[in-house]
Amino acid sequence: MSNSRLVYSSDDGDLRRAASGAERQTQQPAPSDGVVRVAREKSGRRGKTVTTVRGLPSTALAEAAGDLKRHCGTGGTVKEGTVELQGDHRDKAAARLRSQGYEVKLAGG
């Protein structure tokens, strides 16, 4: 009697997700219209709130991330052209970016 339902393989890793058809949710690239979008997200983060900033020029990402982290007093990172701040800091981040001359829109709920 063989077990035909393979759950884990050292070649492919965990196969349960592939079998169920669940795919990773991919982030949409930020439109290049010159508007910086600040959003609050919880999806895919195990219930933890993260503030995301998209649409910043790639040359200013690291500097803006450091400035926003200091201003909001929180941790964060830069991932795939997006600044992620731990916690809900939409209003603080948007106000700081406006004071630096960016056109800012609050996105999401």
Side-chain angles (χ1 to χ4, degrees), residues 47-75:
K48 300 197 174 34
T49 303
V50 174
T51 303
T52 58
V53 180
R54 291 186 179 86
L56 287 169
S58 59
T59 56
L61 278 174
E63 183 180 338
D67 180 56
L68 288 171
K69 289 190 299 184
R70 277 189 297 277
H71 182 70
C72 297
T74 187

Side-chain angles (χ1 to χ4, degrees), residues 10-98:
S10 59
D11 292 335
D12 299 323
D14 190 356
L15 300 177
R16 289 177 289 187
R17 290 187 181 190
S20 68
E23 297 178 10
R24 290 194 92 170
Q25 183 180 11
T26 58
Q27 297 281 338
Q28 300 247 344
S32 58
D33 58 0
V35 177
V36 177
R37 288 172 171 80
V38 181
R40 181 179 56 98
E41 295 181 0
K42 283 174 64 172
S43 174
R45 302 177 192 280
R46 299 189 321 191
K48 300 197 174 34
T49 303
V50 174
T51 303
T52 58
V53 180
R54 291 186 179 86
L56 287 169
S58 59
T59 56
L61 278 174
E63 183 180 338
D67 180 56
L68 288 171
K69 289 190 299 184
R70 277 189 297 277
H71 182 70
C72 297
T74 187
T77 187
V78 176
K79 289 185 180 176
E80 300 174 7
T82 301
V83 177
E84 296 181 355
L85 302 171
Q86 297 171 356
D88 185 3
H89 300 285
R90 276 186 0 154
D91 297 328
K92 278 186 180 181
R96 183 66 166 196
L97 291 168
R98 281 190 190 104

